[in-house]
Amino acid sequence: MKVKVNSISEYLENIPDERKSVMKKLIHTIGENLPKGFKEQLGYGIPSWVVPHTLYPEGYHCSPELPLPFMGIASQKNFIALYHMGIYANPKLLSWFAGEYPKYCKRKLDMGKSCIRFKKIEEIPFELIAELSTKMTPKDWIKLYEEKFKGQ
């Protein structure tokens, strides 16, 4: 989506109608299952969850004025994307997710480093995403982030 928006609700207004309910369900699923401390906000123009400056004052090393990013979802041209920095940084979490994915979807897992692509919205594994959302606290993410990325 290339439209500049100022809020998650504005983002949702600007995506195709057939994706609105799915994106709302993803936002709800993630928000209900993330451990306390993450903050929902618009980040990089998409619905996102971050570690706020109140928990991690240093912010994101590339742009310290921004909170530390953790998850995001986006309605792209040909798919819905779920971005999860924990999967990118933690090989055990990635292995767990890749092993669980076939239990929920017949389609082959399509992902990049932190991006999981869902080309068929009717096949989005909400239960698996809910479980994935529970796997890392803000404290866990800060520790992993500092080990893997800070100072690069």
Side-chain angles (χ1 to χ4, degrees):
M1 187 174 104
K2 303 290 183 200
V3 177
K4 183 157 174 73
V5 297
N6 297 306
S7 68
I8 291 174
S9 59
E10 200 176 324
Y11 180 90
L12 292 169
E13 290 171 14
N14 285 282
I15 63 174
D17 288 342
E18 65 272 10
R19 291 188 177 187
K20 288 180 183 183
S21 65
V22 171
M23 289 291 288
K24 287 177 185 176
K25 186 174 179 180
L26 275 170
I27 290 168
H28 177 76
T29 298
I30 294 166
E32 287 292 309
N33 289 283
L34 276 178
K36 288 191 183 294
F38 289 107
K39 180 182 175 192
E40 182 181 293
Q41 68 176 47
L42 192 71
Y44 298 99
I46 63 172
S48 299
W49 292 265
V50 301
V51 178
H53 282 104
T54 54
L55 293 180
Y56 191 66
E58 295 178 47
Y60 185 42
H61 72 278
C62 295
S63 300
E65 71 279 4
L66 297 176
L68 181 60
F70 180 62
M71 285 182 77
I73 56 173
S75 177
Q76 303 292 4
K77 182 177 178 180
N78 296 313
F79 56 88
I80 288 180
L82 169 70
Y83 302 94
H84 191 291
M85 291 303 295
I87 278 182
Y88 175 56
N90 183 335
K92 286 183 181 178
L93 185 58
L94 172 58
S95 179
W96 170 83
F97 185 81
E100 290 295 308
Y101 188 84
K103 298 175 186 176
Y104 294 84
C105 288
K106 294 175 185 153
R107 192 172 296 277
K108 182 181 175 217
L109 179 59
D110 180 3
M111 70 181 293
K113 289 181 180 181
S114 73
C115 175
I116 305 160
R117 294 178 279 280
F118 301 105
K119 292 182 179 159
K120 301 282 186 187
I121 60 174
E122 62 277 2
E123 295 179 11
I124 294 174
F126 290 97
E127 290 177 21
L128 180 59
I129 292 168
E131 190 172 350
L132 172 64
S133 298
T134 69
K135 297 284 186 188
M136 194 172 286
T137 66
K139 186 177 178 180
D140 296 334
W141 174 227
I142 291 167
K143 183 176 186 269
L144 188 59
Y145 166 76
E146 288 185 339
E147 289 171 5
K148 301 274 184 169
F149 303 110
K150 196 170 172 195
Q152 290 184 3

